[in-house]
mmCIF file of all heavy atoms in Angstrom:
data_model
loop_
_atom_site.group_PDB
_atom_site.id
_atom_site.type_symbol
_atom_site.label_atom_id
_atom_site.label_comp_id
_atom_site.label_asym_id
_atom_site.label_seq_id
_atom_site.Cartn_x
_atom_site.Cartn_y
_atom_site.Cartn_z
ATOM 1 N N VAL D 44 -12.319 3.943 20.181
ATOM 2 C CA VAL D 44 -11.483 3.061 20.765
ATOM 3 C C VAL D 44 -10.506 3.702 21.748
ATOM 4 O O VAL D 44 -9.914 4.715 21.472
ATOM 5 C CB VAL D 44 -10.587 2.245 19.797
ATOM 6 C CG1 VAL D 44 -9.506 1.274 20.480
ATOM 7 C CG2 VAL D 44 -11.461 1.537 18.758
ATOM 8 N N ASP D 45 -10.496 3.214 23.028
ATOM 9 C CA ASP D 45 -9.623 3.619 24.032
ATOM 10 C C ASP D 45 -8.439 2.609 24.124
ATOM 11 O O ASP D 45 -8.639 1.579 24.530
ATOM 12 C CB ASP D 45 -10.328 3.816 25.449
ATOM 13 C CG ASP D 45 -11.371 4.814 25.457
ATOM 14 O OD1 ASP D 45 -11.170 5.875 24.879
ATOM 15 O OD2 ASP D 45 -12.436 4.493 26.008
ATOM 16 N N LEU D 46 -7.200 3.219 23.798
ATOM 17 C CA LEU D 46 -6.055 2.476 24.007
ATOM 18 C C LEU D 46 -5.592 2.400 25.388
ATOM 19 O O LEU D 46 -5.642 3.463 26.098
ATOM 20 C CB LEU D 46 -4.908 2.867 23.069
ATOM 21 C CG LEU D 46 -5.036 2.593 21.500
ATOM 22 C CD1 LEU D 46 -3.927 3.147 20.740
ATOM 23 C CD2 LEU D 46 -5.348 1.163 21.312
ATOM 24 N N PRO D 47 -5.000 1.306 25.901
ATOM 25 C CA PRO D 47 -4.411 1.395 27.260
ATOM 26 C C PRO D 47 -3.243 2.256 27.304
ATOM 27 O O PRO D 47 -2.600 2.541 26.285
ATOM 28 C CB PRO D 47 -4.086 -0.123 27.457
ATOM 29 C CG PRO D 47 -4.016 -0.691 26.166
ATOM 30 C CD PRO D 47 -4.870 0.149 25.320
ATOM 31 N N LEU D 48 -2.994 2.829 28.568
ATOM 32 C CA LEU D 48 -1.903 3.841 28.762
ATOM 33 C C LEU D 48 -0.591 3.180 28.307
ATOM 34 O O LEU D 48 0.323 3.847 27.793
ATOM 35 C CB LEU D 48 -1.796 4.244 30.187
ATOM 36 C CG LEU D 48 -0.942 5.269 30.575
ATOM 37 C CD1 LEU D 48 -1.045 6.459 29.727
ATOM 38 C CD2 LEU D 48 -1.060 5.549 32.122
ATOM 39 N N ALA D 51 -0.629 3.931 24.501
ATOM 40 C CA ALA D 51 -0.796 5.295 24.100
ATOM 41 C C ALA D 51 -0.298 6.232 25.309
ATOM 42 O O ALA D 51 -1.208 6.765 25.865
ATOM 43 C CB ALA D 51 -2.189 5.678 23.642
ATOM 44 N N TRP D 52 0.977 6.172 25.521
ATOM 45 C CA TRP D 52 1.336 6.907 26.843
ATOM 46 C C TRP D 52 1.840 8.345 26.687
ATOM 47 O O TRP D 52 1.999 9.166 27.644
ATOM 48 C CB TRP D 52 2.612 6.083 27.350
ATOM 49 C CG TRP D 52 3.609 5.873 26.373
ATOM 50 C CD1 TRP D 52 3.793 4.775 25.538
ATOM 51 C CD2 TRP D 52 4.688 6.711 25.896
ATOM 52 N NE1 TRP D 52 4.715 4.800 24.804
ATOM 53 C CE2 TRP D 52 5.314 6.066 24.912
ATOM 54 C CE3 TRP D 52 5.152 7.949 26.349
ATOM 55 C CZ2 TRP D 52 6.479 6.613 24.236
ATOM 56 C CZ3 TRP D 52 6.174 8.478 25.665
ATOM 57 C CH2 TRP D 52 6.920 7.835 24.710
ATOM 58 N N GLY D 54 0.082 10.984 24.724
ATOM 59 C CA GLY D 54 -0.878 11.763 24.217
ATOM 60 C C GLY D 54 -2.327 11.192 24.096
ATOM 61 O O GLY D 54 -2.788 10.613 25.074
ATOM 62 N N LEU D 55 -2.885 11.407 22.989
ATOM 63 C CA LEU D 55 -4.281 10.887 22.643
ATOM 64 C C LEU D 55 -4.358 9.471 22.999
ATOM 65 O O LEU D 55 -3.492 8.635 22.606
ATOM 66 C CB LEU D 55 -4.614 11.139 21.196
ATOM 67 C CG LEU D 55 -5.994 10.886 20.813
ATOM 68 C CD1 LEU D 55 -6.972 11.906 21.493
ATOM 69 C CD2 LEU D 55 -6.048 11.134 19.284
ATOM 70 N N ARG D 56 -5.462 9.087 23.621
ATOM 71 C CA ARG D 56 -5.742 7.705 24.001
ATOM 72 C C ARG D 56 -7.089 7.202 23.413
ATOM 73 O O ARG D 56 -7.294 6.044 23.325
ATOM 74 C CB ARG D 56 -5.693 7.474 25.489
ATOM 75 C CG ARG D 56 -4.301 7.521 26.105
ATOM 76 C CD ARG D 56 -4.216 7.166 27.472
ATOM 77 N NE ARG D 56 -4.787 5.848 27.749
ATOM 78 C CZ ARG D 56 -5.468 5.687 28.931
ATOM 79 N NH1 ARG D 56 -5.569 6.533 29.825
ATOM 80 N NH2 ARG D 56 -6.015 4.506 29.113
ATOM 81 N N THR D 57 -7.950 8.101 23.032
ATOM 82 C CA THR D 57 -9.190 7.739 22.567
ATOM 83 C C THR D 57 -9.162 8.127 21.015
ATOM 84 O O THR D 57 -8.994 9.238 20.716
ATOM 85 C CB THR D 57 -10.429 8.439 23.094
ATOM 86 O OG1 THR D 57 -10.276 8.219 24.649
ATOM 87 C CG2 THR D 57 -11.761 8.048 22.724
ATOM 88 N N PHE D 58 -9.650 7.169 20.146
ATOM 89 C CA PHE D 58 -9.595 7.335 18.767
ATOM 90 C C PHE D 58 -10.933 6.987 18.163
ATOM 91 O O PHE D 58 -11.483 6.027 18.436
ATOM 92 C CB PHE D 58 -8.543 6.394 18.112
ATOM 93 C CG PHE D 58 -7.146 6.588 18.609
ATOM 94 C CD1 PHE D 58 -6.709 6.109 19.781
ATOM 95 C CD2 PHE D 58 -6.350 7.444 18.009
ATOM 96 C CE1 PHE D 58 -5.499 6.269 20.377
ATOM 97 C CE2 PHE D 58 -4.929 7.648 18.462
ATOM 98 C CZ PHE D 58 -4.601 7.053 19.602
#
Side-chain angles (χ1 to χ4, degrees):
V44 174
D45 293 317
L46 289 182
L48 188 58
W52 49 268
L55 184 66
R56 291 187 49 215
T57 301
F58 299 84

